[in-house]
Amino acid sequence: MSDTHAQFAFVRSKMLPEAPPPASERGAAKWVRQNFFSSTINTVMTIFVFVVVIQIALTVVPWLANGVWSGSSLSDCREALAGETGACFAVLSERWNQLLFGFQYPSELYWRPLAAFLLLFVAIAPVLFQKYVPSKMLIFTALYPFIAFFLIWGGSLLTPVLALAGFVVGYFVYTKLVAQSFALGFFGGLFAALAFWILSGYLPVEGILAIEPVESREIGGFMLNLILGTVCVSLSIPFGIALALGRQSSMPIIKWICVVFIEFIRGVPLITLLFVANVVLAYFLPPGTNFDLILRVIIMITMFASAYIAEVIRGGLAALPRGQYEAANSLGLDYAQSMRLIILPQALKISIPGIVNVAVGLFKDTTLVSVISMFDLVGMIRGPISSSQEWNGVYWELFLAAGLLFFVTCYGISQYSQWLERELRTDHR
Amino acid sequence: MADTAPQMHVSDEVAISIQRMNKWYGTFHVLRDIDLTVYAGERIVIAGPSGSGKSTLIRCINALEEHQKGKIVVDGTLLSSDLKNIDKIRSEVGMVFQHFNLFPHLTILENCTLAPIWVRKTPKREAEETAMHFLEKVKIPDQANKYPGQLSGGQQQRVAIARSLCMMPRIMLFDEPTSALDPEMIKEVLDTMVSLAEEGMTMICVTHEMGFARQVANRVIFMDQGQIVEQNEPEEFFNNPKSERTKLFLSQILGH
Ligand SMILES: Nc1ncnc2c1ncn2[C@@H]1O[C@H](COP(=O)(O)OP(=O)(O)OP(=O)(O)O)[C@@H](O)[C@H]1O
Ligand SMILES: [Mg+2]
């Protein structure tokens, strides 16, 4: 045995250099062959798909290319096209403002929601790009809701200032009481804020430091979708976290409240909740109270989204190994600290795709408010624009535009989430 | 029922005192009438077959598991359901786990400074200095800015030890710190533990590393079926085991 070994003994003294692959393994020709014509079935499929794509392009391209961009009615478009196929984009150039802002928002005030929209990016930047934006900017993020409210709804500057002051009062009471117990601090703060808001409701603020007010029913178009989407998503994430943690709680009352809430909301279609917001809530309110419809809808959509996000986050929490909780505990971190510093950062990271899924779905679902006769983007198209004499019969162009607006927003959200997932990945070697 | 084992008292100061402690998982009686006194500076090794309750015992000491009967006093503080006491005890008692349990979303340095900053309210700068000091002690200061996922198992376990030490604990608990490691990494972790023992840290280690037990332990405790069956100083324990079960266990892990 050992003899043969000695006979064949061989030690490589120099490593061979890496050689390039043969020509058939390189270049575009190889790529096409491998990906499109590698087998009979593959070849047939390639030809079939090619034909279908050409057919679609042959109908769509002229329709787009011949599109008429000016004119004040559908018949103007037909005249301009003189029998050829072509889109009537004139409806967009004529009614773009209604699609974006609704048909009642005063046109001389368009700059206000536009400013709010631009400031939104400044406000969410420190949240979305934590590492790259100084955290002092978070102060602006905290003030942004009040600024945006003031810009969009107008009225007295004191209204948002008092609303903000309510939060400050609540927080102040919370810090005073939290040393005794968390529950006391939380409910004390909540109660103080509520009391402050109710009392300040009696202040005659109307007209003081005011800009021109706009009523909720005058708000519509894509702006309404954006308002509902942004507010509901940003509210439902903290509520969803609270519900998910509550569902894990060792205190049975808290646990069951969360379970019942989540299961009930998930078992009911959103549209039902919207009808409730529209009609039924009015029965429960004292007569004569004017509880803003947009606010009611925001409450309902937020509840709906919170329940879904809570379940997504619960999945993330369940995916964490028990050792993480134990390590956090064994170092002496208390419940709040271990959640905030150890558990949630990891659970939320796992939950990003699910949360984004809910957020994108929710944003698109805001178009459901058109069913309770609010004039959001879809409501505008189906209502005032399609039923107007000039544009009756124009569908494709309008829904194409609506689709594009939603696509751009949702695609942006999805791209961001993928970037964030890469950014948070720490396990690469 | 007092400790009958001959003890080489390192000091007379009691670090941990466990009296008639019992624990059940549902109806399953995991720990039965455990009596154990650990003196400050003592190094104790707990051995025993799988499922004998070793992990459960040391996890009761820092209240990761709740005991149902009996008394546990750690460093003068009685373990009860009072959360303040539990947090106090946990910050005095460090624990090292079989699977390291580092926080994967934080860097090595952040892993080490987190608890001092949030629990002890140490200023960040100072916490980082302490952390670097202990990372140097476990011989991986150059990895401070990496993430746990980028380290080998042995390195991760040494970071876990440094993370516990950063809280300046009076007592360290080890639950099979080397049994998830490849053989060549076991030594580096044991070396760290030996040097810790030489500095006089009070340690309780659940381990099957009998060489380590011989080298550093003051006392070896043998557990079976939720009870302490035998305890003795290492030489006596290994050369002259008293009970049949200990003999059987020793022949299984030493002989072959
Ligand atoms: N959470 C639990 N619920 C129910 N039974 C448990 C639980 N944890 C452990 N046990 C049981 O308690 C007994 C003691 O477990 P423990 O983990 O303390 O054993 P061990 O001595 O550490 O064993 P090993 O050497 O395998 O780690 C085992 O029989 C185990 O099945
Ligand atoms: Mg164990």
Side-chain angles (χ1 to χ4, degrees):
Chain A
M1 252 325 232
S2 55
D3 283 355
T4 40
H5 242 143
Q7 214 176 331
F8 293 114
F10 167 78
V11 176
R12 190 184 285 290
S13 57
K14 231 164 90 193
M15 300 307 276
L16 292 178
E18 196 171 287
S24 63
E25 288 300 307
R26 277 182 287 175
K30 180 221 163 194
W31 186 83
V32 167
R33 183 164 45 75
Q34 270 198 347
N35 288 292
F36 294 120
F37 303 103
S38 62
S39 69
T40 328
I41 292 186
N42 209 337
T43 310
V44 172
M45 292 284 283
T46 301
I47 293 169
F48 175 73
V49 170
F50 188 71
V51 170
V52 171
V53 167
I54 292 286
Q55 282 296 324
I56 292 175
L58 282 180
T59 30
V60 173
V61 169
W63 185 75
L64 286 176
N66 287 345
V68 178
W69 285 92
S70 60
S72 59
S73 72
L74 183 56
S75 43
D76 282 1
C77 283
R78 296 220 167 103
E79 230 163 79
L81 284 167
E84 278 190 66
T85 46
C88 182
F89 292 124
V91 66
L92 301 181
S93 20
E94 178 85 344
R95 297 292 180 101
W96 64 271
N97 52 346
Q98 295 192 349
L99 289 172
L100 293 183
F101 298 100
F103 67 121
Q104 282 172 316
Y105 203 92
S107 57
E108 71 278 8
L109 300 181
Y110 283 164
W111 66 272
R112 281 175 16 192
L114 194 64
F117 178 67
L118 294 177
L119 287 177
L120 174 65
F121 291 98
V122 183
I124 58 174
V127 180
L128 298 190
F129 304 102
Q130 268 172 12
K131 267 196 207 157
Y132 305 101
V133 180
S135 53
K136 278 214 182 83
M137 291 275 293
L138 282 170
I139 298 173
F140 181 74
T141 310
L143 294 178
Y144 175 77
F146 306 99
I147 298 173
F149 172 84
F150 182 58
L151 282 172
I152 295 173
W153 274 269
S156 166
L157 180 62
L158 290 183
T159 315
V161 167
L162 285 172
L164 178 61
F167 281 102
V168 175
V169 167
Y171 179 74
F172 181 74
V173 172
Y174 168 80
T175 51
K176 286 283 156 206
L177 295 178
V178 74
Q180 292 170 46
S181 95
F182 176 77
L184 186 65
F186 180 79
F187 288 108
L190 190 69
F191 186 76
L194 282 177
F196 183 88
W197 285 323
I198 290 170
L199 288 179
S200 66
Y202 291 106
L203 288 179
V205 293
E206 218 149 299
I208 302 171
L209 295 173
I211 55 175
E212 173 142 17
V214 178
E215 296 212 20
S216 278
R217 62 183 152 73
E218 295 174 325
I219 288 171
F222 193 55
M223 171 173 70
L224 181 57
N225 297 109
L226 279 177
I227 293 174
L228 293 177
T230 321
V231 174
C232 296
V233 168
S234 26
L235 288 178
S236 62
I237 291 176
F239 281 121
I241 294 174
L243 282 171
L245 292 179
R247 196 171 180 161
Q248 281 202 328
S249 168
S250 53
M251 283 180 271
I253 298 180
I254 293 184
K255 180 176 173 160
W256 286 111
I257 290 176
C258 294
V259 170
V260 168
F261 179 87
I262 292 171
E263 295 302 332
F264 175 75
I265 297 285
R266 287 204 311 161
V268 177
L270 176 56
I271 199 114
T272 330
L273 292 178
L274 291 178
F275 277 120
V276 169
N278 191 18
V279 199
V280 185
L281 270 190
Y283 288 118
F284 293 107
L285 296 169
T289 37
N290 171 22
F291 194 33
D292 193 274
L293 181 59
I294 291 188
L295 187 57
R296 280 184 275 170
V297 167
I298 284 178
I299 292 174
M300 285 303 174
I301 302 183
T302 303
M303 282 180 12
F304 186 76
S306 307
Y308 277 87
I309 288 188
E311 285 300 278
V312 171
I313 293 174
R314 188 166 72 106
L317 289 170
L320 281 196
R322 219 163 69 108
Q324 292 292 310
Y325 293 84
E326 291 177 351
N329 285 339
S330 76
L331 286 169
L333 296 170
D334 63 27
Y335 175 80
Q337 288 169 338
S338 55
M339 285 300 145
R340 191 159 83 75
L341 302 166
I342 309 297
I343 306 301
L344 283 177
Q346 296 183 64
L348 289 179
K349 187 173 111 187
I350 303 174
S351 316
I352 291 172
I355 293 178
V356 170
N357 203 11
V358 173
V360 166
L362 171 81
F363 179 55
K364 291 182 295 183
D365 280 352
T366 57
T367 53
L368 283 177
V369 298
S370 62
V371 177
I372 54 167
S373 50
M374 288 174 89
F375 294 105
D376 75 313
L377 182 52
V378 170
M380 281 308 299
I381 295 174
R382 295 187 342 138
I385 297 182
S386 292
S387 58
S388 70
Q389 208 149 40
E390 303 88 28
W391 302 110
N392 194 344
V394 183
Y395 289 107
W396 285 97
E397 296 81 351
L398 289 165
F399 281 109
L400 184 71
L404 264 178
L405 280 175
F406 276 99
F407 175 77
V408 168
T409 322
C410 295
Y411 185 71
I413 298 175
S414 130
Q415 286 301 304
Y416 167 74
S417 84
Q418 286 175 27
W419 173 84
L420 184 63
E421 274 178 63
R422 281 195 302 274
E423 184 79 3
L424 292 178
R425 198 161 55 201
T426 57
D427 52 358
H428 45 70
R429 297 205 166 235
Chain B
M1 261 301 189
D3 293 0
T4 47
Q7 279 147 8
M8 312 164 43
H9 283 176
V10 181
S11 73
D12 288 329
E13 192 192 335
V14 175
I16 302 171
S17 143
I18 302 177
Q19 286 157 35
R20 303 196 66 92
M21 193 262 281
N22 281 272
K23 170 164 181 65
W24 288 262
Y25 280 123
T27 57
F28 175 52
H29 200 169
V30 229
L31 294 177
R32 314 180 189 185
D33 275 344
I34 301 285
D35 276 300
L36 179 66
T37 307
V38 181
Y39 295 89
E42 239 191 327
R43 278 96 62 185
I44 293 185
V45 163
I46 303 181
S50 181
S52 55
K54 309 178 297 286
S55 300
T56 312
L57 171 59
I58 68 167
R59 290 156 60 85
C60 281
I61 294 174
N62 67 352
L64 285 183
E65 302 286 353
E66 209 181 349
H67 61 282
Q68 278 88 35
K69 249 174 84 180
K71 220 167 96 175
I72 302 181
V73 180
V74 180
D75 214 21
T77 312
L78 176 70
L79 237 180
S80 60
S81 55
D82 183 349
L83 288 177
K84 286 221 174 76
N85 277 357
I86 290 182
D87 282 338
K88 178 166 183 298
I89 287 177
R90 281 173 176 165
S91 61
E92 301 299 333
V93 178
M95 179 144 189
V96 176
F97 301 86
Q98 181 175 2
H99 296 286
F100 332 135
N101 296 352
L102 294 179
F103 305 128
H105 62 302
L106 301 176
T107 63
I108 300 306
L109 189 63
E110 287 165 344
N111 263 278
C112 294
T113 55
L114 185 94
I117 290 176
W118 291 92
V119 180
R120 293 254 192 267
K121 316 284 179 215
T122 316
K124 187 169 178 227
R125 178 68 69 72
E126 201 182 315
E128 282 178 353
E129 276 165 20
T130 319
M132 286 314 292
H133 167 74
F134 284 113
L135 285 174
E136 259 155 48
K137 232 166 115 174
V138 302
K139 305 202 174 65
I140 29 178
D142 42 328
Q143 315 279 8
N145 292 315
K146 288 194 181 169
Y147 286 95
Q150 297 167 297
L151 266 54
S152 76
Q155 291 174 323
Q156 290 193 42
Q157 192 60 298
R158 284 183 284 152
V159 171
I161 294 174
R163 177 177 72 179
S164 293
L165 292 178
C166 285
M167 286 293 281
M168 309 286 182
R170 318 256 323 239
I171 300 162
M172 286 284 286
L173 309 174
F174 294 82
D175 190 359
E176 305 201 27
T178 55
S179 52
L181 297 176
D182 292 338
E184 70 265 34
M185 294 173 187
I186 291 180
K187 187 173 177 303
E188 60 188 52
V189 171
L190 288 181
D191 284 348
T192 309
M193 290 168 64
V194 170
S195 72
L196 198 57
E198 281 163 358
E199 284 164 26
M201 174 68 78
T202 312
M203 292 166 70
I204 304 184
C205 315
V206 175
T207 181
H208 294 296
E209 295 297 331
M210 291 305 143
F212 174 78
R214 275 180 201 272
Q215 191 184 344
V216 305
N218 304 99
R219 194 165 19 142
V220 181
I221 290 178
F222 176 69
M223 285 184 72
D224 192 19
Q225 294 180 5
Q227 306 172 60
I228 296 180
V229 174
E230 184 168 345
Q231 48 179 317
N232 215 330
E233 48 189 273
E235 282 311 308
E236 277 293 295
F237 180 84
F238 289 111
N239 301 336
N240 195 9
K242 303 276 184 305
S243 92
E244 286 306 314
R245 271 183 289 180
T246 316
K247 285 179 193 162
L248 182 66
F249 175 75
L250 285 177
S251 71
Q252 274 166 351
I253 65 163
L254 296 177
H256 58 78

